[in-house]
Amino acid sequence: MSHPADPPHSFTVNPQTPTRGIRHQRSLEHVLNFTLSSPLPLRKEAEEAHFLYHQILSDCEDAGLTVGRHGSKVYLHNLFRAVVKFCPSRNGAINLIRIILHGLFLSSQTTPDDRRLSSILPLARAWLDPGHDHQPTYRILETIATDFLEGFFVPLTAQANCTPHVSGILTAPSASDVAPTQGTPNRLRGLRALCLLRDGNRCVISGNFDKGFHTRARKIGELPRGTFGMQTQAAHIIPHSLNAVAAAGDPLSRPQTFVWQILNMFVPGLSTMLEGSLIDSPANAMILVSDIHDEFGKLRCYLEEIPGSANSYTFMTTTGSVELPPVMYPKTEVITFVNHEPEGTRMAELPSRCLLKLHAACCKMMEMAGAGEYVERVLEDIERMEEEGTLARDGSSDIGMLLRIKGLWGGSGEMVDGSGVTGMVVV
């Protein structure tokens, strides 16, 4: 069965006089604020949109179009095919195509708020006109591709921080922990302890025991020789830092908001599921050994759901993953989540099937797009800027991009300090 985002085998586009006046969209951010609850397009409109979208990507492939930085290149056709092919929901794939076409073909004839395919398709059909100039559309597509790479994949990967070991008694989040926006200033206390109890004090992938538990259990003779104890962490599936704010009531930064807009496009309503302190729900976390957590956060390994088998997964790695020691690989082919909390006292949900599916989709997108090296180079620049206060010696660092990713600059040329005062960026 073909993927719902695949183009139809054949399609006839009704001839129509194209509307000219296409204007450049400097950022995908300007076309993302749309209502996900708006009516979906008619099937015929969706099929034509799929056809035109993939026709544009075929032409990009023939032209060999890429975006690149530091010598690493990402082909446009691979990136845009990947985000649609692996979008976790059919509605999300339709919305994604609709928004990208809107960004490409928005003109003075349509309003920014009109995202209906019926308004966009007449403009998109001009692409098939033999006399149509493709270069303006190519330039816009390059801009949108850069937004996906540097505004979504880089922050999503860079913010996959380790969840620190917070000591103290498990407490439910108080009202002060939940900001009226998506943000939250505090992590849920005891999340790691709760996940350790639920996951049997083991890494859910490798099966190795948590080092602290292993040491204590060995001392009292509860574990036989030959078992391993390793440093473990509570790994968020969707990073906590996407919701992190300095104080309750503070709004999310523009980079954070942009990532959530993309995630909401992939899975409509996702931000509601993880709003505020809900991002620290056990359903969004699991125990992993440190090395696996690092690979998981960098979108280089994932759990592939086994169809028809409840809470069962296969451990998968991407082509860019780091070779792990044999002891860190799963002991069995099938990984099944089980709640090890005592019957009648269970407080923690198992890791969310929906969130794991979304994480796996992002890993597949990165792999098919060939974007791993691109993202890694950008992260190296960010790390260099944070730790050394320097940029690449060859002058290849994009200062504006780095500041935008770090949330210091919204991309408009104005830097925002902690007090909310703006000033011009001098480069």
Side-chain angles (χ1 to χ4, degrees):
M1 180 180 295
S2 63
H3 187 277
D6 289 340
H9 296 295
S10 61
F11 192 85
T12 301
V13 178
N14 296 326
Q16 182 165 340
T17 302
T19 304
R20 300 299 183 182
I22 297 174
R23 62 184 176 83
H24 182 75
Q25 292 290 304
R26 67 178 299 273
S27 173
L28 181 62
E29 185 176 4
H30 296 296
V31 296
L32 273 175
N33 292 316
F34 68 102
T35 303
L36 285 167
S37 59
S38 60
L40 289 174
L42 300 174
R43 180 173 180 176
K44 182 178 179 180
E45 293 175 340
E47 289 178 349
E48 183 177 359
H50 278 92
F51 173 81
L52 291 170
Y53 181 83
H54 287 280
Q55 185 61 52
I56 291 169
L57 298 187
S58 294
D59 288 354
C60 288
E61 183 175 9
D62 292 340
L65 297 184
T66 65
V67 291
R69 195 181 299 280
H70 311 303
S72 61
K73 295 181 179 180
V74 176
Y75 284 93
L76 297 190
H77 63 277
N78 285 339
L79 174 63
F80 287 110
R81 283 174 180 157
V83 294
V84 169
K85 177 179 176 64
F86 296 115
C87 188
S89 68
R90 175 178 173 81
N91 289 353
I94 293 173
N95 275 323
L96 185 63
I97 290 177
R98 176 162 58 100
I99 288 303
I100 291 175
L101 290 180
H102 184 275
L104 290 176
F105 300 109
L106 177 66
S107 77
S108 58
Q109 303 299 315
T110 59
T111 66
D113 294 327
D114 188 357
R115 268 78 171 184
R116 295 174 302 162
L117 278 179
S118 58
S119 298
I120 302 167
L121 288 176
L123 305 177
R125 292 182 189 124
W127 180 267
L128 301 182
D129 183 349
H132 181 71
D133 180 8
H134 289 181
Q135 292 305 315
T137 307
Y138 285 157
R139 289 194 294 270
I140 300 172
L141 201 61
E142 289 169 359
T143 300
I144 296 176
T146 302
D147 277 346
F148 262 107
L149 291 167
E150 298 176 1
F152 178 70
F153 286 114
V154 168
L156 188 68
T157 305
Q159 298 187 75
N161 311 71
C162 299
T163 302
H165 186 176
V166 181
S167 59
I169 301 173
L170 175 66
T171 58
S174 65
S176 62
D177 293 329
V178 184
T181 62
Q182 286 183 338
T184 178
N186 303 311
R187 296 176 186 268
L188 177 65
R189 292 173 61 86
L191 176 62
R192 182 174 182 273
L194 183 56
C195 289
L196 278 170
L197 185 59
R198 181 198 64 190
D199 297 338
N201 295 291
R202 293 173 180 259
C203 167
V204 297
I205 290 176
S206 71
N208 292 308
F209 285 105
D210 171 69
K211 187 175 182 179
F213 170 81
H214 184 267
T215 300
R216 295 190 300 270
R218 282 293 304 277
K219 285 182 178 179
I220 60 177
E222 289 188 354
L223 290 176
R225 292 185 177 277
T227 57
F228 293 92
M230 296 186 175
Q231 185 63 47
T232 66
Q233 295 152 349
H236 281 75
I237 302 171
I238 304 300
H240 167 94
S241 48
L242 291 182
N243 276 8
V245 293
D250 286 354
L252 296 180
S253 68
R254 288 179 64 182
Q256 287 173 308
T257 301
F258 186 83
V259 175
W260 278 114
Q261 287 174 324
I262 299 291
L263 290 174
N264 269 326
M265 187 156 51
F266 290 157
V267 182
L270 180 72
S271 60
T272 302
M273 294 169 52
L274 297 178
E275 186 173 12
S277 58
L278 292 177
I279 202 163
D280 288 327
S281 164
N284 187 40
M286 55 189 175
I287 297 298
L288 296 178
V289 297
S290 300
D291 287 357
I292 295 179
H293 186 186
D294 187 53
E295 291 295 287
F296 187 87
K298 290 180 179 177
L299 302 181
R300 295 196 296 224
C301 70
Y302 58 95
L303 291 171
E304 182 73 39
E305 183 181 21
I306 298 176
S309 183
N311 299 312
S312 294
Y313 301 84
T314 302
F315 178 64
M316 305 294 291
T317 59
T318 67
T319 53
S321 63
V322 173
E323 186 70 24
L324 296 169
V327 71
M328 290 189 184
Y329 283 93
K331 308 299 187 293
T332 58
E333 185 176 343
V334 176
I335 297 170
T336 301
F337 289 134
V338 177
N339 193 326
H340 292 270
E341 295 178 274
E343 289 283 354
T345 63
R346 292 179 176 172
M347 301 174 60
E349 301 173 77
L350 292 175
S352 166
R353 170 178 172 266
C354 172
L355 299 180
L356 287 170
K357 183 178 180 180
L358 174 58
H359 176 269
C362 290
C363 291
K364 295 172 187 177
M365 291 174 191
M366 281 267 289
E367 181 173 33
M368 180 176 172
E373 182 181 1
Y374 184 106
V375 169
E376 195 69 29
R377 295 285 183 88
V378 174
L379 292 176
E380 288 173 0
D381 262 1
I382 294 173
E383 184 177 356
R384 185 185 300 108
M385 184 176 69
E386 288 181 330
E387 295 184 356
E388 305 173 13
T390 62
L391 301 174
R393 293 182 179 179
D394 62 3
S396 60
S397 298
D398 184 327
I399 298 175
M401 177 274 296
L402 295 176
L403 294 176
R404 184 172 70 249
I405 291 173
K406 293 303 296 177
L408 299 175
W409 178 42
S412 62
E414 295 183 335
M415 182 177 286
V416 183
D417 63 21
S419 64
V421 178
T422 61
M424 294 306 296
V425 179
V426 179
V427 294

